[in-house]
Amino acid sequence: MYTLLLIVHVTSIVLWIGGVAFVTIVMFPIIQRTQGSIEKVLMFQGIEHRFARLARVLSLLAGLTGFLLLHQVGFSILLSWSGIGIWAMIIAWAVYVLILFFLEPIVFRKLFSQKAQLKTEQVFFRLQVFHWFLLGLSLFAVAAGVWTGHH
């Protein structure tokens, strides 16, 4: 059972973080080169909203399998050196869940509302910087998990 949970856990994270990397590294530069504010917003919303649905499912799957894996190895691992990597993964997961399920709808409504005072370029620059932060956090959590899991 442990191996099956681990396979599902790692696969969901690979798809999820891979999607974040794609959005950050590929999608934002394409959007930045797109002419016209409306075209940028429509392209972003089309891709991001589709990925957000998948990211929500994958984050829930990663959280569930992560909890079950933690249950199998024992929660006391969180108090050991190996727990540092797990804590990094938990923190990264919690940040994503907070964003995906609670903050994203609020932030997007404000950013793309008719009353928004920011120019489209500023909005997408801020979103891109934030995505780089999320990608960095994700890769740090992966590295910390691998490091502590294999030392």
Side-chain angles (χ1 to χ4, degrees):
M1 182 56 119
Y2 181 86
T3 304
L4 180 61
L5 286 171
L6 189 59
I7 290 168
V8 172
H9 185 71
V10 171
T11 302
S12 65
I13 291 171
V14 166
L15 290 171
W16 171 20
I17 304 303
V20 172
F22 175 81
V23 167
T24 305
I25 297 168
V26 176
M27 187 188 83
F28 275 112
I30 291 171
I31 287 175
Q32 297 292 49
R33 285 184 290 221
T34 301
Q35 299 297 317
S37 296
I38 298 296
E39 289 81 8
K40 288 181 181 188
V41 171
L42 291 175
M43 181 186 297
F44 175 77
Q45 286 182 332
I47 295 169
E48 185 76 8
H49 287 304
R50 181 170 174 91
F51 177 66
R53 281 187 232 128
L54 179 60
R56 285 184 190 102
V57 171
L58 292 170
S59 68
L60 290 176
L61 189 58
L64 175 64
T65 55
F67 177 81
L68 293 172
L69 287 165
L70 193 53
H71 181 343
Q72 285 200 353
V73 298
F75 291 99
S76 62
I77 195 169
L78 293 173
L79 304 174
S80 71
W81 172 250
S82 296
I84 293 171
I86 296 170
W87 278 113
M89 291 184 275
I90 291 170
I91 290 167
W93 177 83
V95 167
Y96 273 104
V97 167
L98 180 66
I99 292 166
L100 287 169
F101 289 97
F102 302 104
L103 297 179
E104 185 183 61
I106 296 167
V107 171
F108 281 176
R109 252 180 289 170
K110 286 185 179 185
L111 284 176
F112 295 116
S113 73
Q114 296 291 337
K115 297 177 185 176
Q117 298 297 317
L118 294 174
K119 293 182 179 180
T120 306
E121 290 80 22
Q122 291 173 317
V123 170
F124 283 106
F125 176 76
R126 290 178 181 184
L127 286 171
Q128 187 172 18
V129 168
F130 184 66
H131 273 78
W132 275 108
F133 166 77
L134 290 176
L135 182 57
L137 176 66
S138 304
L139 296 176
F140 174 78
V142 169
V146 171
W147 177 267
T148 58
H150 293 287
H151 267 93

